[in-house]
Amino acid sequence: MAEIINGKEVAARVKAEVRNEVLRLKEKGIDTGLAVVIVGNDPASRVYVNSKKKACEEVGINSYEYALPEETTQDELLKLVGELNADERVDGILVQLPLPKHIDENAIINAISPQKDVDAFHPFNVGRIMIGEYNFLPCTPAGVMELIKSAGIELSGKDCVVIGRSNIVGKPMAMLLLHKNATVTICHSKTRNLKEICSKADVVVAAVGRANFVTADMVKDGAVVIDVGINRLPDGKLCGDVDFEGVKEKAGYITPVPGGVGPMTIAMLMKNTLASSKLKAGIKD
Ligand code: L34
């Protein structure tokens, strides 16, 4: 029976630390601000953006919401990003993805000042992560690392399998595990012997976007299983990439959905926004 890693609890701890530091900055007269940009009416994005604004309130970060209509043009969005880059109140710019199809996401990401890129999606920050010299880590992979750390799991020399190779989760996730001296395998839709590879792993991070994709027969006894998936079933219920009920009987540690990686993504966004504010103010500790 696996130990369940409680993401809500760990996220609350991270946010409490951020809050202390944000208040310390306030005493020095420094305010911290996050611009939250949402385009269109995707209901899931609305839920996540609301949670991000609420987290800002909890930790004492000022949030500035820009809710733009679905038919916003790419040029209009680029113009807003340019204004936010120049806005002194704004330490972090979050443009919630996905964007409507007529907008080129890369063009928008490239336009965000790397200093305010609290998602760490800009190629400059992606490159810095590759060489292990970064100010911001992408929120979801950073949240996964924090969950692993909170459970006291040592990664050095471990066999880790990341399922999924997206730019925002799979690829940076593999890099962060590598920085901790794990042996990392990235699996994806063309991987031939996924089950065999997975069932040898000490740590499995599932970021595929398919409900119940990872089943107990793919998991080694006692393995650490981290579920990044957020899938909405037809009945509206939320479900991860891992068959939680089956896998929890076999794994050593497991994260639930909801209440696992999701809340950590938001906590790490708060941490990055604080880091940006401190960098701007030249505060190192
Ligand atoms: N720019 N776009 C940008 N940055 C991000 O870091 C994200 N992501 C992903 C989608 N687009 C983004 C998020 O914020 C996914 N994501 C995210 C954030 C929070 C939660 C899930 C995904 C979350 O809070 N999940 C809750 C359940 C929420 C619900 O009921 O729907 C959980 O407990 O897992």
Side-chain angles (χ1 to χ4, degrees):
M1 198 46 187
E3 184 170 319
I4 296 169
I5 305 176
N6 186 332
K8 270 195 172 164
E9 247 171 57
V10 183
R13 214 149 64 218
V14 170
K15 283 188 285 186
E17 286 166 16
V18 171
R19 180 178 164 80
N20 283 338
E21 287 208 57
V22 168
L23 296 181
R24 201 162 58 92
L25 292 182
K26 271 194 211 292
E27 283 168 11
K28 297 188 169 138
I30 301 163
D31 260 8
T32 303
L34 176 70
V36 181
V37 182
I38 176 170
V39 186
N41 309 309
D42 182 72
S45 291
R46 183 29 81 190
V47 171
Y48 307 151
V49 160
N50 285 348
S51 304
K52 289 174 185 186
K53 282 168 41 192
K54 183 164 159 273
C56 281
E57 240 170 78
E58 283 169 34
V59 304
I61 291 176
N62 302 323
S63 73
Y64 308 103
E65 183 183 288
Y66 297 84
L68 307 179
E70 177 80 24
E71 52 289 354
T72 302
T73 65
Q74 182 164 318
D75 280 346
E76 285 167 338
L77 186 54
L78 284 171
K79 182 164 171 283
L80 172 62
V81 168
E83 286 163 10
L84 297 173
N85 284 339
D87 190 332
E88 284 294 320
R89 302 170 306 162
V90 172
D91 297 289
I93 301 171
L94 172 106
V95 179
Q96 187 69 20
L97 303 181
L99 290 169
K101 287 200 175 46
H102 63 275
I103 298 178
D104 175 2
E105 283 182 357
N106 283 334
I108 304 303
I109 290 169
N110 291 345
I112 296 172
S113 160
Q115 281 73 35
K116 298 191 178 188
D117 171 35
V118 283
D119 269 323
F121 291 167
H122 190 288
F124 177 83
N125 288 323
V126 174
R128 302 250 304 187
I129 290 159
M130 282 289 266
I131 58 175
E133 201 181 273
Y134 41 75
N135 298 323
F136 309 126
L137 288 175
C139 301
T140 300
V144 170
M145 296 306 282
E146 200 67 34
L147 287 175
I148 292 174
K149 192 170 101 185
S150 78
I153 296 156
E154 178 56 54
L155 286 170
S156 184
K158 295 282 175 69
D159 290 321
C160 296
V161 168
V162 177
I163 316 176
R165 54 171 156 182
S166 71
N167 288 331
I168 65 172
V169 182
K171 285 186 213 169
M173 188 71 246
M175 202 54 58
L176 300 194
L177 293 165
L178 183 61
H179 288 331
K180 294 289 179 201
N181 300 315
T183 302
V184 186
T185 305
I186 306 177
C187 295
H188 47 78
S189 55
K190 298 289 189 291
T191 298
R192 268 189 257 163
N193 37 359
L194 180 76
K195 181 174 159 188
E196 192 189 320
I197 296 168
C198 243
S199 54
K200 292 200 176 86
D202 302 305
V203 178
V204 177
V205 180
V208 234
R210 278 166 67 178
N212 300 318
F213 182 82
V214 175
T215 46
D217 58 327
M218 295 165 71
V219 171
K220 187 169 82 170
D221 261 321
V224 178
V225 180
I226 309 285
D227 193 348
V228 180
I230 304 262
N231 307 293
R232 241 160 259 273
L233 299 178
D235 66 0
K237 246 185 82 181
L238 217 55
C239 153
D241 290 346
V242 175
D243 168 27
F244 185 83
E245 289 309 318
V247 173
K248 82 170 195 299
E249 302 301 325
K250 206 167 171 196
Y253 294 89
I254 191 166
T255 66
V257 176
V261 174
M264 290 305 295
T265 296
I266 294 172
M268 300 321 273
L269 176 67
M270 298 302 109
K271 201 168 168 170
N272 281 346
T273 307
L274 166 68
S276 175
S277 176
K278 286 171 71 176
L279 279 166
K280 189 173 80 179
I283 295 169
K284 294 211 170 61
D285 64 331

